[in-house]
Amino acid sequence: MNILVFVKQTFDTEETVVVQGGRVSEDNVRFVLNPYDEYAVEQAVQVKEEFGGEVTVVAVGQERMEQALRTALAMGADKAALVEDDGSLDEYGVAKVLAAFARRGTYDLLFAGQATVDGASAQTGPRVAEELGVPVVAAILRFTLEGDRAVVERDMEGYSERLSVPLPALFTAQQGLNEPRYPTLPNVMKAKKKPLERLTLEDLGLARERLLGRTATVECFVAPKTRQRRMLQGSPEAQAQALADELRRFVLPD
Amino acid sequence: MADQMWLEELRSGVRRICNSFPDSYWRELDAKREYPQAFVEALTKAGYLAALIPEEYGGSGLGVTEASVILEEIHRCGGNAAACHAQMYTMGVILRHGSEEQKRRYLPEIAKGNIRLQAFGVTEPTTGSDTTQLKTTAVRRGDRYVVNGQKVFISRAQYSDLMVLLVRTTPLAEVRKRTEGLSVLIVDLREAVGKGLTIRPIRTMINHATTELFFENLEVPVENRIGEEGQGFRYILDGMNAERILIAAECIGDGRWFVERATRYAKERVVFGRPIGQNQGVQFPIARAHVHVEAADLMRFRAAALYDAGKPCAAEANMAKLLAADASWEAANAALQTHGGFGFAEEFDIERKFRETRLYQVAPISTNLILSYVAEHVLGMPRSY
């Protein structure tokens, strides 16, 4: 079973976001393997352990992404690749890069996190599947292999769907899919010696100007905390009336 | 110095484990004075406590630099490594001075976590740091030593399978130098308890499993002696530098935790219409503590680099311990003061960490003894004790 996992390094969810000069500051910030990607890597490694095969992890972005790749290697992935770029491509461009990487090999299974905790658009996985022309199931909560098909359960926010999917296919992992393992110290050390390939966009035959997004960031700001408190006065009836008026204004602005 | 990305990977691995043991875990154990069994098991299973054991004996063969980063991160995440840090380095006396047979017998099992060796019996009620005066004796009878005496403040004895024990095998009156005549024995606590050894826990102001030990004709096989008889003092001394560096790292982890909590609270807590952190009276003590933590960190990495290069580092290791312990205590005070009344409330965890980091002014070596060491051995002033 040849498995490819798309990963990204993101802010540690404990970090506070600071906006400086119109962009999110990365000074003194701790980065982690995107938490949803951990589920994806764990699932890939579990499939490998049960059915054999090889797990490759790939990321697009800055030098620092290497650390997230090493974490995935320490969890049991076999090899990694980093397509170096400045981190400014949006989902459109990133999906094209990841798809170009996927086309270099033959994979039975592709995994990604259901979203990244920074951009949170949940687009990259499905876009890559579209580029590759393979089926995609997003936000899966359960995964089993049955012959040449995968049977998965998909989170529908309130209920679940069970789907049988022919391979190759791409699945994005939702929290709860599995319990990602801790990288053990011996595995962290082994990860240092596992192959990590560095590629450029040119190596993948891509021209950067054709990857640029169709969106532009106009402004970046921290949403102001609106803490308005008003004590209602008068009789209970008057207070209830005032509250109802307030709510109506909120739902139906003038 | 080990490269930064590698150390960051180590940190992130440890952090992953620590994230499963949040503040509330430590808080609840603290209230009940219970041993962090689940945490220690997770850390052991993940191999972190075998960092310093060479690969040929089943460990990871890392240096004190890496080991110190592992312990620092535990404290940085709000935990306390004191429950298990000795599992990392107590084996050092076997590694450096044990026979090949002893190394093969113990080290792989310690590396796997099947055997816990995290108790170190040195201090006694009447002879704390004055180690050579210790009163516990071991008298040889055939192929056994018969041990009598008492030890106090022996950490984790109830959660350890083996203990390294320092005893006097030749009476003080019969040796040329007071540092001679001491020997190191490995005591199998699983067999010894009830057969000449009594362990009594001591309840303290922190959740630290410390005990008092009573020996009454405890028999220890001669084959359990490390190295030569009478040379034990020297064997334990060379383990001290590693311990100093590792403890310094724990203090630095504490210091960073305090600075982070204090900073966050100072920015969030609004009084008189503005965050209290806008007042210099609040921000300066936190900033100063941060400066001292960072300075101590440099000395810690310098000491660790010397240690890992096999160079003398006693001065640096001691100075790192002093600087780091002072910095963490300063940061603890700043954090408590910043939090005001909430600092005393258990659910904020400041008071717990405050109590815990206070220990490092006293143990495993008191600040005054470090100053005595520096005065005498670094500056060449007369011995003061």
Side-chain angles (χ1 to χ4, degrees), chain A residues 12 14-16 18 30-33 38 42 63-67 70-71 75 179-189 191-193 198 225 227, chain B residues 3 5-6 8-13 15-21 42 45-51 55 60-62 66 70 73 76-77 260 264 267:
Chain A
D12 188 329
E14 297 287 309
E15 292 288 346
T16 323
V18 177
R30 290 202 294 204
F31 293 97
V32 294
L33 172 61
E38 285 187 9
E42 175 64 35
E63 185 73 27
R64 63 170 168 79
M65 297 276 169
E66 178 181 336
Q67 210 181 312
R70 294 278 176 208
T71 302
M75 289 175 70
E179 187 64 45
R181 67 196 68 191
Y182 301 139
T184 66
L185 180 54
N187 287 341
V188 170
M189 293 184 61
K192 279 174 81 170
K193 294 175 191 144
R198 288 165 187 284
K225 277 188 195 160
R227 258 202 238 161
Chain B
D3 83 277
M5 189 179 270
W6 158 232
E8 193 47 49
E9 275 160 41
L10 262 185
R11 283 181 207 280
S12 104
R15 204 181 305 138
R16 282 277 304 273
I17 297 176
C18 292
N19 286 346
S20 308
F21 299 92
K45 230 173 94 188
Y48 286 97
L49 296 178
E55 283 175 292
S60 288
L62 295 171
E66 286 96 343
I70 292 168
E73 196 59 30
R76 174 79 177 71
C77 293
E260 184 185 272
R264 194 194 305 165
K267 286 199 276 194

Side-chain angles (χ1 to χ4, degrees), chain A residues 23-60:
Chain A
R23 53 187 301 178
V24 176
S25 167
E26 295 189 354
D27 293 348
N28 301 314
V29 165
R30 290 202 294 204
F31 293 97
V32 294
L33 172 61
N34 174 43
Y36 293 108
D37 297 349
E38 285 187 9
Y39 301 107
V41 172
E42 175 64 35
Q43 198 58 52
V45 173
Q46 284 184 14
V47 170
K48 178 189 81 166
E49 285 170 349
E50 198 178 338
F51 300 95
E54 190 177 61
V55 176
T56 305
V57 286
V58 58
V60 186

